Amino acid sequence: DFKQKEDEIKEMQSKTIKIPTIKMPDTEKFIQKLSKDKEKMQAFSEATSLQLEAQALMSKAAQTQEDKYYNQALEKINESIKLFPDYSVSYITKAQIYMQMGEYKKTEKLLDKAVDLDSNYKELVDIMRQNVKILSKSSPAEKKIYREQLKEATKGVNKYQEKFLKSGEVEKINRQGKKALAEALLGDETKYNLA
């Protein structure tokens, strides 16, 4: 019985941790659509910075298993969505946070919203849905193993994210992005890519 359960857990790990490479949608096209609207571009720039912070906090939460970091990540991503509610990636990030917290119904709703906003993310969302399905049917012991695997999988990323959060990099990105955006809006359209 133990050997059978061990095999089942190994199978679950392979399904939840190993995600195939996915071709991400072209963000540049998304930005070009916004480029004629100064206020939307500004909101998008600030929302993206908040989203980066949310991802860094989510990584820290996965490492420490402390709810306070998940809560901080949710605060950042909620601010991001409030600033710019039309960006699919923000809803995917929020869904990832809830998935790690074990709140699967909230995860599903956010994934629906993400695909409604941009069908280009359907492949990624489908894989996330598959993981949610597996996790929601898992036993507490299997979920514990998943959390340990997640901790191991994010170890290298977390070191970088920690530096990112402490370095003031977000403010630096914001300053550079806003400067490039201002130059683009003043007529130098080559600066949109930099922004």
Side-chain angles (χ1 to χ4, degrees), residues 26-58:
D26 189 347
T27 309
E28 193 175 326
K29 285 181 183 174
F30 181 85
I31 291 169
Q32 283 173 345
K33 285 181 190 174
L34 293 177
S35 65
K36 293 176 180 77
D37 188 325
K38 182 179 176 181
E39 284 181 22
K40 274 194 174 181
M41 278 297 293
Q42 185 68 44
F44 177 71
S45 172
E46 290 177 27
T48 302
S49 295
L50 287 162
Q51 189 216 345
L52 288 170
E53 287 184 85
Q55 287 177 338
L57 287 160
M58 177 175 62

Side-chain angles (χ1 to χ4, degrees), residues 51-107:
Q51 189 216 345
L52 288 170
E53 287 184 85
Q55 287 177 338
L57 287 160
M58 177 175 62
S59 177
K60 189 169 184 173
Q63 283 296 302
T64 62
Q65 297 298 308
E66 289 185 42
D67 286 345
K68 68 179 181 180
Y69 296 118
Y70 283 123
N71 293 332
Q72 288 172 17
L74 283 171
E75 283 174 24
K76 294 291 181 187
I77 203 63
N78 285 335
E79 281 181 61
S80 175
I81 289 169
K82 194 174 178 182
L83 267 171
F84 195 86
D86 299 333
Y87 193 38
S88 187
V89 174
S90 297
Y91 296 93
I92 290 169
T93 300
K94 191 171 180 179
Q96 287 175 308
I97 295 166
Y98 277 129
M99 187 165 82
Q100 287 184 24
M101 293 173 77
E103 296 193 33
Y104 305 120
K105 285 183 182 174
K106 288 181 180 178
T107 303

Side-chain angles (χ1 to χ4, degrees), residues 144-177:
K144 185 178 179 187
I145 288 168
Y146 167 74
R147 284 194 298 273
E148 287 303 314
Q149 285 268 315
L150 187 64
K151 189 175 179 179
E152 191 60 33
T154 57
K155 195 186 287 180
V157 176
N158 191 59
K159 286 177 187 172
Y160 170 76
Q161 300 283 33
E162 273 289 298
K163 285 182 186 175
F164 174 76
L165 284 171
K166 288 177 182 172
S167 68
E169 197 68 21
V170 174
E171 287 77 13
K172 183 179 166 188
I173 290 167
N174 256 333
R175 280 195 306 275
Q176 290 172 342

